[in-house]
Amino acid sequence: MELRHVRYFVAVAEELSFRGAAEKLHMAQPPLSAQIKALEEELRVRLLERTTRSVRLTHAGRVFLEEARAVLAASAQAEQRARDAAQGLAGTLRVGIIAPVAGAWLAGILRRFRQRFPGVQLSLFDLTSTEQLRRLHARELDAGLLRPPIGLPELDYKFVGESRQVLAVPAGHRLARKKRLEWKDFHDEELVLIHPSAQHGFYDPFFAACAKAGARLRPVQYANDIQTKMWLISAGFGIAPTTATLGEVKRPGLVFRALPAGLPPVQTVLAWRRGDPSPVLEHFCKGFEPFMSLSIL
Amino acid sequence: MELRHVRYFVAVAEELSFRGAAEKLHMAQPPLSAQIKALEEELRVRLLERTTRSVRLTHAGRVFLEEARAVLAASAQAEQRARDAAQGLAGTLRVGIIAPVAGAWLAGILRRFRQRFPGVQLSLFDLTSTEQLRRLHARELDAGLLRPPIGLPELDYKFVGESRQVLAVPAGHRLARKKRLEWKDFHDEELVLIHPSAQHGFYDPFFAACAKAGARLRPVQYANDIQTKMWLISAGFGIAPTTATLGEVKRPGLVFRALPAGLPPVQTVLAWRRGDPSPVLEHFCKGFEPFMSLSIL
DNA sequence: GGCATTGATATGCAATTAGTATCAATGCAT
DNA sequence: ATGCATTGATACTAATTGCATATCAATGCC
């Protein structure tokens, strides 16, 4: 069975006339009769009851007509969705994110994208930057919002925002009471850090500044995710530098303080595989224009 | 687009290899490539990313693959349902019934039918015999359970049951207290009848017997349906002969009494258009075998 | 670096679909 | 009742196109 048979049958069933249907299909009547006959022979089912003066649907024909319309609808939808997908109006997009960007800024961008491209299914994955890079390489992600450096030549990326580092301290902590912090104030302080395996270089500028000022730090607690890290700090286990955007998250017992000047901002980049030019992806990347260097992120 | 294109594409997308797919499809590789190319050109969408060593789906291809599977499923279902319909396993059947047959007997037959033919959609229409005949003629019904006579030459029918007539009387009525009724007892009695327009001959044998015994009747109330008729009787408006099967229906204030001997049984027939040989209909008719002359109906 | 394997291309052929001419049957109008 | 117009079927021809064979260029792998 081919779609031609289905199209022809629906035309005849709707017109209840071979000649009429043939005209509608811009073809001659004999080949139309032949095709319908072939369809009936393949199905081994009589679909139409013809006399020389009239055409009627058999019971099987009535049933088949319903199904035939469904087939044509499915095929039309298949064509449409393929075209949509080619224009970036349909499809799926798997995007990696890190916890610090999951704030109002990204929510706004995603909302706009979903409004403009309702046919695209967005799947978000909360992963570390390292894991995102692995999955981008393995084609398990289409894009990722993560921290540089990238380090994979096959990936392209662009900066989409930057943010200061701030200090997260337990409420009532010694440093929470100080008005203006200096690097030597961190001497002997206990730190709550994200485990090195899920981290590449985020703390390095902080460590360097402390070392330069002669402040020796004491890493005492390692967490695997941001939520645990913030909880440990609020529970008084120590202090830690954090991205300023996390200040959006209020938590009892947790306060934020400005760090001494001199730290480079934390950058967020959007990365994707180069030479994998999905129009959906292109639209998604455009949603991050223009570059927001002064974003609160 | 033809189903051939869809089938070929799904094969290639699943194998991710033209040669492999061609083998699976029992054809050579070059024509397969040509067909996929034709499909892509018609859709104006690149579905597959090929190098000389590997085949990958594009994003549009991934979307199209999903839809393509739906198209194939729809077409397979269309073929199956058409075949089922031809064997009487699928389709719809519009059946007319009259209130007196809507009892346990018919319920059992219909339940059996629906179990054996779950693909057939049964639509029941509660109509008078007269209206059923009109709709059978107009092809608005496929079968009807009704009272003879039929009177239309294009219809075929068979007896499916018969039932005595009994007398419905209000509780406490004069005739309800009598042990054994005679025809002359009906002299001067008030009758509750179904309106003549919805009735052909049901009361005639009763009228004839009364007249023969010299009992003059007084029709005082006409109802349009059985429910109203029974309600009127229970409310004391009069008495009426009724089909014995309605004794299944208990109603406060309503009792049934045997009529004097001599009335012919009320027959129920199953009627359908001759020369309209739907296998669904045939199966339905078979459900009424064997002939149930001693049915309580 | 050689080799086997992959998808693309070129070309001839076969199958099938569409078109033309015509016929028999039937409903309708006179 | 009867002639006529219209319908779907049939016979045959023409054109399309889908398929197979032979071959090539590119690429991953040993």
Side-chain angles (χ1 to χ4, degrees):
Chain A
M1 188 171 73
E2 291 294 335
L3 282 180
R4 178 171 15 89
H5 296 120
V6 180
R7 281 190 274 262
Y8 290 1
F9 171 76
V10 170
V12 174
E14 283 179 348
E15 293 283 310
L16 288 178
S17 152
F18 281 76
R19 281 193 129 82
E23 193 170 339
K24 216 174 177 181
L25 293 166
H26 305 293
M27 67 187 292
Q29 167 260 318
L32 177 58
S33 293
Q35 291 296 318
I36 297 288
K37 192 177 167 189
L39 173 62
E40 289 179 322
E41 273 170 12
E42 184 183 344
L43 295 176
R44 305 186 153 282
V45 171
R46 193 137 196 84
L47 300 171
L48 295 163
E49 200 70 57
R50 320 90 145 128
T51 70
T52 50
R53 295 298 294 178
S54 73
V55 175
R56 272 214 322 269
L57 283 165
T58 64
H59 294 258
R62 246 186 292 278
V63 170
F64 187 72
L65 176 58
E66 256 186 74
E67 302 291 332
R69 289 205 178 100
V71 171
L72 294 186
S75 91
Q77 178 178 322
E79 298 193 23
Q80 191 54 53
R81 290 253 308 162
R83 279 190 256 262
D84 282 356
Q87 289 169 27
L89 301 174
T92 61
L93 203 65
R94 302 158 299 178
V95 180
I97 56 171
I98 51 178
V101 306
W105 168 74
L106 182 61
I109 289 179
L110 296 183
R111 192 179 325 113
R112 261 193 304 276
F113 181 81
R114 299 186 57 165
Q115 274 173 0
R116 235 177 88 74
F117 302 101
V120 176
Q121 192 193 328
L122 265 186
S123 296
L124 297 185
F125 296 85
D126 185 2
L127 304 166
T128 65
S129 299
T130 319
E131 177 66 8
Q132 283 189 47
L133 290 170
R134 191 192 68 73
R135 296 203 187 186
L136 280 164
H137 173 74
R139 300 182 168 272
E140 294 167 15
L141 279 183
D142 301 304
L145 283 163
L146 42 81
R147 302 262 180 256
I150 300 294
L152 293 177
E154 80 224 60
L155 296 188
D156 221 339
Y157 63 94
K158 70 176 180 187
F159 292 97
V160 294
E162 55 188 18
S163 167
R164 289 171 295 118
Q165 275 189 10
V166 295
L167 186 72
V169 288
H173 187 276
R174 181 177 70 88
L175 294 182
R177 286 195 299 270
K178 251 199 130 194
K179 283 219 179 74
R180 195 179 195 87
L181 298 180
E182 297 175 65
W183 290 117
K184 61 183 168 62
D185 291 332
F186 292 104
H187 186 68
D188 245 14
E189 277 301 327
E190 298 186 325
L191 295 183
V192 176
L193 304 177
I194 297 285
H195 199 274
S197 67
Q199 200 69 42
H200 49 269
F202 177 77
Y203 298 117
D204 292 352
F206 176 80
F207 290 160
C210 288
K212 196 178 164 196
R216 199 179 59 240
L217 302 163
R218 296 192 301 168
V220 288
Q221 285 291 338
Y222 286 100
N224 283 313
D225 60 273
I226 290 269
Q227 279 70 28
T228 309
K229 170 180 164 183
M230 301 314 262
W231 178 81
L232 284 169
I233 294 170
S234 73
F237 279 78
I239 63 172
T242 310
T243 314
T245 40
L246 286 173
E248 280 185 21
V249 182
K250 307 290 180 204
R251 188 188 280 270
L254 187 65
V255 296
F256 297 93
R257 287 288 173 271
L259 283 168
L263 289 189
V266 182
Q267 291 180 322
T268 306
V269 303
L270 177 65
W272 64 92
R273 276 185 307 283
R274 194 205 327 277
D276 193 8
S278 148
V280 176
L281 181 59
E282 266 176 50
H283 286 138
F284 185 74
C285 293
K286 283 210 188 86
F288 289 87
E289 303 280 12
F291 174 72
M292 321 192 165
S293 70
L294 297 179
S295 152
I296 57 154
L297 177 77
Chain B
M1 189 171 71
E2 289 296 333
L3 282 180
R4 177 171 17 86
H5 298 119
V6 180
R7 280 189 275 261
Y8 290 0
F9 171 76
V10 170
V12 175
E14 283 179 349
E15 294 284 310
L16 288 178
S17 153
F18 280 76
R19 281 192 128 83
E23 193 170 340
K24 215 174 177 183
L25 292 167
H26 305 295
M27 67 185 293
Q29 167 259 318
L32 177 58
S33 293
Q35 291 296 320
I36 297 289
K37 192 177 167 191
L39 173 62
E40 290 179 323
E41 274 170 11
E42 184 183 344
L43 295 177
R44 306 188 153 280
V45 172
R46 194 136 195 86
L47 300 172
L48 295 164
E49 200 69 57
R50 325 75 148 137
T51 71
T52 50
R53 296 297 295 176
S54 73
V55 175
R56 271 213 323 267
L57 283 165
T58 64
H59 294 259
R62 245 187 294 278
V63 170
F64 187 70
L65 176 57
E66 256 186 74
E67 302 292 331
R69 288 206 179 99
V71 171
L72 294 186
S75 92
Q77 178 178 322
E79 297 193 25
Q80 191 54 52
R81 290 255 306 163
R83 278 189 256 263
D84 282 355
Q87 288 170 27
L89 301 174
T92 60
L93 203 65
R94 301 158 299 179
V95 180
I97 57 172
I98 51 178
V101 306
W105 168 73
L106 182 62
I109 289 180
L110 295 184
R111 191 180 325 111
R112 261 193 305 278
F113 181 83
R114 299 188 56 164
Q115 273 173 4
R116 234 176 88 75
F117 303 100
V120 176
Q121 192 194 327
L122 266 186
S123 296
L124 297 186
F125 296 84
D126 185 1
L127 303 166
T128 64
S129 299
T130 320
E131 177 65 9
Q132 284 189 47
L133 290 171
R134 191 191 69 73
R135 296 204 187 185
L136 281 165
H137 173 74
R139 300 181 168 273
E140 294 168 14
L141 279 183
D142 302 304
L145 284 162
L146 43 81
R147 303 262 181 253
I150 299 294
L152 293 176
E154 80 223 62
L155 296 187
D156 220 339
Y157 63 94
K158 72 176 179 186
F159 291 97
V160 294
E162 54 187 20
S163 166
R164 290 170 295 117
Q165 276 190 11
V166 295
L167 186 72
V169 288
H173 187 275
R174 179 177 71 89
L175 296 181
R177 287 194 300 268
K178 251 198 128 193
K179 282 217 180 75
R180 195 179 196 87
L181 298 180
E182 296 175 67
W183 291 116
K184 61 183 171 59
D185 292 333
F186 293 103
H187 187 69
D188 244 15
E189 278 300 327
E190 297 185 327
L191 295 183
V192 175
L193 304 177
I194 296 286
H195 198 275
S197 67
Q199 200 68 42
H200 51 268
F202 178 77
Y203 299 117
D204 292 352
F206 175 81
F207 288 160
C210 288
K212 196 177 162 196
R216 199 181 57 242
L217 300 164
R218 296 193 300 168
V220 287
Q221 284 290 337
Y222 286 100
N224 283 314
D225 60 274
I226 290 268
Q227 280 71 27
T228 309
K229 171 180 163 182
M230 300 315 261
W231 178 79
L232 285 169
I233 294 171
S234 74
F237 278 80
I239 64 172
T242 310
T243 316
T245 41
L246 286 173
E248 282 185 19
V249 183
K250 307 289 181 205
R251 187 188 280 272
L254 186 66
V255 296
F256 297 93
R257 288 287 173 269
L259 284 169
L263 289 189
V266 182
Q267 292 180 322
T268 305
V269 303
L270 177 64
W272 64 90
R273 276 185 306 284
R274 192 205 330 277
D276 191 10
S278 147
V280 175
L281 181 59
E282 266 176 51
H283 286 137
F284 185 75
C285 293
K286 281 210 189 86
F288 289 86
E289 304 281 10
F291 174 71
M292 319 190 166
S293 70
L294 296 179
S295 149
I296 57 154
L297 176 75

